Amino acid sequence: MLLALLGTFILVTHGHFNQLVVAPLALFWGLMSALAIAGDTLLPRPLLPKFGSINVNAWGLLVGGVQMNFIQPVWVGVPQFTWQLAGEITVVVLFGTLIAYVMYSNSLLYITPTTASLLDAFEPLAATILSIIFFSIPFAWADAVGGILIVLAVVMLSLNVRPFKKRRK
C-alpha cells in the first residue's frame, strides 16, 4: 500500500516534493474520491453475499440519485432532447456507471478490499498516460518512477509478497 501511495505522490508532484502539479481543487476532489472509494469498497461487502451486487448497486444508485436531487433537481437545466443525447446518456449510465459498479462489487466477493483498492491505484497512472497522449503533457522521470512503484505494488499484492512480515525463529 505504501508503494502505491508513494507512486501516486510522485505522480502528482513530478518529483518536486514542495509543489503539486495538480490544482488544489483537483487534489481536494481526488481525496474526496478516495474516501468515497473506501466507503464503496467496505460498506457493501457484508450485503453482497446475501443480496447480490445488482440489488446492492441498484439501491445505492437510487438512494444516491435521490439525495443528489436535493442539490441539483433533475428538472432544472434540462437540455434539449435529441436522440444522440439520449444515446450518450444511456452509454454513460450503462457502461460508465451500472456495469462498472456491478463488476467492481462482484470482484469484492473474490478479492479483498485491499486488493481492490490497490487495483484502483492504476487510475492515476492511467490518467498520467492519457494526459501525455491526448494533452501533450511532457513525460518526466518522476512519472516513470511513480508508475513503476504503482505497478510494483499491485504485482507484489497479487503475488502475496509481504516485505515487512516478521519471520519466526
Side-chain angles (χ1 to χ4, degrees):
M1 189 69 110
L2 291 174
L3 281 177
L5 287 172
L6 180 62
T8 303
F9 182 74
I10 290 172
L11 281 176
V12 300
T13 61
H14 281 278
H16 304 287
F17 301 125
N18 59 346
Q19 67 182 17
L20 290 174
V21 293
V22 296
L25 190 59
L27 179 64
F28 170 78
W29 285 112
L31 292 172
M32 292 297 105
S33 176
L35 288 174
I37 287 294
D40 193 35
T41 302
L42 298 174
L43 293 175
R45 192 166 164 97
L47 301 173
L48 290 172
K50 185 174 182 180
F51 299 108
S53 64
I54 292 179
N55 287 330
V56 170
N57 280 290
W59 277 104
L61 292 172
L62 178 66
V63 169
V66 169
Q67 289 175 345
M68 284 305 298
N69 197 48
F70 290 109
I71 296 170
Q72 176 62 48
V74 296
W75 58 85
V76 175
V78 178
Q80 181 69 32
F81 177 83
T82 64
W83 286 107
Q84 179 182 351
L85 178 64
E88 291 168 352
I89 290 172
T90 301
V91 166
V92 168
V93 168
L94 287 179
F95 295 104
T97 306
L98 184 62
I99 292 173
Y101 277 123
V102 168
M103 290 174 68
Y104 184 76
S105 294
N106 274 335
S107 75
L108 294 174
L109 294 171
Y110 304 104
I111 61 175
T112 65
T114 305
T115 303
S117 298
L118 276 178
L119 289 172
D120 203 29
F122 274 115
E123 190 276 329
L125 180 59
T128 300
I129 292 169
L130 292 174
S131 296
I132 292 166
I133 293 170
F134 291 113
F135 301 126
S136 301
I137 292 177
F139 186 73
W141 66 269
D143 298 325
V145 170
I148 289 168
L149 288 175
I150 292 171
V151 170
L152 183 63
V154 174
V155 168
M156 287 175 64
L157 185 68
S158 66
L159 296 175
N160 203 18
V161 174
R162 307 227 184 251
F164 301 113
K165 185 177 180 180
K166 292 183 181 179
R167 297 175 192 239
R168 293 183 180 186
K169 294 183 180 184

